[in-house]
Amino acid sequence: MNEKTTYRASTTAPVNIAVIKYWGKRDARLNLPTNSSLSVTLSQSDLRTHTTASCSPSYSAPDTLLLNAQPQPLSDARSQACLTALRSLRTDLEKSNSSLPPLSTYPLRLCSANNFPTAAGLASSAAGFAALVRSIADLYQLPHSPTQLSLIARQGSGSACRSLLGGYVAWDQGLLLDGSDSLARLVAPRSHWPEMRALILVASAEKKGVSSTAGMQTTVQTSTLFQTRATQIVPKAMQAMEKAVAEKDFEAFAKITMRESNSFHATCLDTDPPIFYLNDVSRAAIKGVESVNEKTGRIVAGYTFDAGPNCVIYYLEENKDMVAGPFKDVLGAKEGWEGVQGKSVEGKEGVLEGKVVETLKEGVSRVILTSVGEGPISVEDHLIDEKGEPVP
């Protein structure tokens, strides 16, 4: 074995935006949720984390991570849980085949880059941990399936387990204390309903005032609405959403998505002290979607908000001018319309009016047009060179 050999593997992983929200943990250490959730994986052409995992006998300890060219600690419990689990799986392989190089014993150098704002309500931690787990799994040549790896990614960031699969993905709550049944499950691949589109109105690229981890635990401890949501509302919504996806029933999909978003944010407001993830721009976006549906005479758009102010509007490709058109008329000067999807949308005047127009123009910094997409993709574009140094 060459003592200077550098082993590398690179992966891109997608953002997912939940339509049935995960909020609250029954076990904080294992990241076990109090309810199941369901998301749409978004196209990596528009939103992705690109991660290179490398190791070498020439590297010095400890493991290191660069995120968007800035050093990040890996000493936190969530990162260590992922790294320990992956090393353990590689160790098992090495024990069963003595000809394999002992990669599990080498320090790791990780380099990661997002093409979207980190920690601003765009599921950056989900894509980040999914890319980290998938890239190290590829580096270690692990034979495990995405669903099996989701058990590890979940320990880094709960929603990361859903970013290991493409299309429409559930994260089952599970019942076992060890969390072995709390994993990602494919509801339907992208090819089942490829016409799904999303318009994201970026209302703020600033870091959230209350992180998801802190917020959800406060909600669990103080919200009077929380138990009803977790035990009654979400299970029914999950069942209805899986049916809507299976039947490609967009009206049902949109209704459930909007009601579920409102339910989630109601529990945030019911938290003590209340958590305000939405702002005036968020509320203007809701009014805008309501106007689109009202003037179209049917439900062609559905809004949802994660733990942040950015509005994600789902719609079908066939309705792009009816849904994205009114927003392009108002926000056409903002960054984000220059891509293929943005250029194909025809602006539609007179749908959004008054205070909604004023607030959106002032508060939306950019738009992102995207669609349902695939799971992680292995790539040869490495962010770390053969000497173990970051690629400029």
Side-chain angles (χ1 to χ4, degrees), residues 13-233:
V15 164
N16 73 78
I17 299 293
V19 289
I20 306 292
K21 308 295 186 185
Y22 146 58
W23 198 249
K25 305 174 195 275
R26 60 185 175 91
D27 185 313
R29 183 179 65 85
L30 294 175
N31 254 0
L32 301 181
T34 51
N35 62 266
S36 297
S37 56
L38 195 149
S39 61
V40 180
T41 299
L42 299 181
S43 171
Q44 293 175 65
S45 299
D46 311 295
L47 296 166
R48 67 183 177 275
T49 296
H50 180 186
T51 298
T52 296
S54 71
C55 65
S56 173
S58 67
Y59 290 176
S60 57
D63 301 329
T64 61
L65 167 65
L66 286 178
L67 173 60
N68 295 328
Q70 299 299 314
Q72 298 290 321
L74 283 171
S75 56
D76 61 284
R78 299 196 300 173
S79 297
Q80 285 300 308
C82 293
L83 298 180
T84 299
L86 291 162
R87 275 201 168 98
S88 177
L89 294 178
R90 174 65 188 188
T91 300
D92 291 342
L93 284 184
E94 292 165 1
K95 287 179 178 177
S96 66
N97 184 351
S98 60
S99 68
L100 292 175
L103 303 189
S104 64
T105 66
Y106 301 158
L108 287 162
R109 289 186 185 176
L110 309 170
C111 190
S112 191
N114 297 332
N115 70 343
F116 58 91
T118 303
L122 284 176
S124 59
S125 63
F129 273 103
L132 179 145
V133 168
R134 183 72 263 181
S135 63
I136 298 175
D138 289 349
L139 175 71
Y140 287 168
Q141 297 184 317
L142 301 180
H144 300 72
S145 70
T147 291
Q148 290 171 316
L149 292 175
S150 75
L151 293 169
I152 299 174
R154 183 204 73 219
Q155 295 179 62
S157 169
S159 52
C161 70
R162 298 191 306 251
S163 278
L164 283 169
L165 292 162
Y168 304 83
V169 184
W171 172 17
D172 291 326
Q173 171 188 347
L175 298 173
L176 299 177
L177 293 178
D178 67 357
S180 58
D181 59 346
S182 181
L183 39 70
R185 171 174 55 85
L186 184 66
V187 173
R190 175 192 173 278
S191 58
H192 168 72
W193 203 4
E195 299 85 5
M196 187 66 70
R197 301 290 179 265
L199 168 63
I200 304 174
L201 308 181
V202 181
S204 172
E206 297 178 2
K207 194 165 184 176
K208 290 177 285 191
V210 180
S211 73
S212 300
T213 300
M216 67 177 65
Q217 289 309 94
T218 306
T219 297
V220 170
Q221 294 162 6
T222 64
S223 171
T224 56
L225 298 178
F226 171 75
Q227 282 299 329
T228 300
R229 170 176 161 74
T231 61
Q232 298 180 38
I233 295 172

